[in-house]
Every structure is written in C-alpha cells, then in structure tokens.
Amino acid sequence: MKVSVELDEQKRVKSWASNGNLDNSNVYEVEESIWKSNWEAFLLQNDELVYDDNLKKAIDEKRNITELINLYKKMLNDTDYKAIKYSEGIISEDEYAETKEKRKFWRKEINRLEESLNNINKIWKI
C-alpha cells in the first residue's frame, strides 16, 4: 500500500492519505495490515517508515489514561448535585459522607493520572 504522509518535528507520522490523495514528495510503501490500525506509531528512519513498538505502547497508554481521567471527571460531574445539596443543607453530612470520600478519591486519581500523562508527553512529545 502506498501512503503519503505528513511528519511532525520528531519525524513521526502526523497524518496520511492514500489512493488519489497522494502527495508524490512524501510517498512510502507500507504493509496495509499493520498500517491501518497503527499508523500513529510509524516514524521516518533512513528514508523508510518504520513501526516503533515503544511509541505504540506510549500512544496506547496515553489513550487509556485519558479515558480514565474522563471517566473520573464524569463521575465527579454526576455527583455534583449531591455536593450542591450538601452545601445548601438539603442533605446531612452523614448522607453526603460516602459521596464525599468517592469524590476525594476521584480527584486524587485525576491528579495522579494527569501527572503520568504529563510524563508521557515530556518523554514522547505526543
């Protein structure tokens, strides 16, 4: 399969096109079965596009961490109404205690995961 690619500063594939959208200046031959689901993990080395397994792992880890952060943020949003009820005195401290502990844990996890995400971004610049 022939693909035309746009590369980032680290010579990693940023975007690509095939078929009629080929830019002849940056056309490379790639194995279609690997390319289609892993194109983000290819980089240019010695005028060839090469698959980097470590880059793929970093991309997958970043994606998984981002999904977890979004899940915890959703859980916080979904319990905002209880925090508001508590702050307005509608529910008691006892009624809010379990939710309060969960929210505290979710915020702590978000902070920890965001730090991991920042480390991945620093190392891989992705």
Side-chain angles (χ1 to χ4, degrees):
M1 166 182 195
K2 287 188 177 185
V3 295
S4 174
V5 299
E6 180 182 353
L7 303 172
D8 66 13
E9 300 82 34
Q10 288 78 36
K11 295 190 176 184
R12 293 186 301 236
V13 175
K14 185 175 166 181
S15 63
W16 65 281
S18 63
N19 302 330
N21 300 321
L22 296 178
D23 169 5
N24 290 329
S25 61
N26 294 314
V27 175
Y28 301 92
E29 188 71 35
V30 294
E31 187 177 325
E32 186 172 359
S33 61
I34 297 172
W35 178 262
K36 290 277 184 166
S37 59
N38 298 296
W39 66 269
E40 293 172 304
F42 278 79
L43 51 97
L44 187 64
Q45 288 181 346
N46 301 323
D47 292 325
E48 286 187 48
L49 287 179
V50 179
Y51 175 78
D52 186 326
D53 192 49
N54 290 324
L55 178 57
K56 174 65 173 159
K57 288 176 186 174
I59 291 167
D60 288 346
E61 185 177 1
K62 181 178 178 178
R63 192 171 287 130
N64 291 337
I65 289 171
T66 301
E67 287 175 10
L68 270 175
I69 290 170
N70 290 337
L71 175 65
Y72 285 132
K73 285 181 177 182
K74 181 183 181 326
M75 293 163 85
L76 282 170
N77 286 336
D78 289 350
T79 57
D80 278 352
Y81 74 98
K82 285 187 179 182
I84 293 168
K85 282 183 169 186
Y86 173 69
S87 72
E88 293 176 349
I90 296 171
I91 61 174
S92 70
E93 190 168 331
D94 286 343
E95 292 171 306
Y96 183 61
E98 183 180 344
T99 300
K100 183 178 179 179
E101 286 304 309
K102 287 179 183 178
R103 289 172 61 87
K104 181 178 176 182
F105 172 78
W106 297 332
R107 283 190 299 276
K108 185 177 177 181
E109 283 300 293
I110 289 169
N111 291 334
R112 183 184 66 77
L113 291 167
E114 285 178 339
E115 187 175 323
S116 294
L117 200 56
N118 287 336
N119 288 335
I120 291 171
N121 289 335
K122 282 179 191 174
I123 293 168
W124 290 96
K125 294 178 178 45
I126 53 177

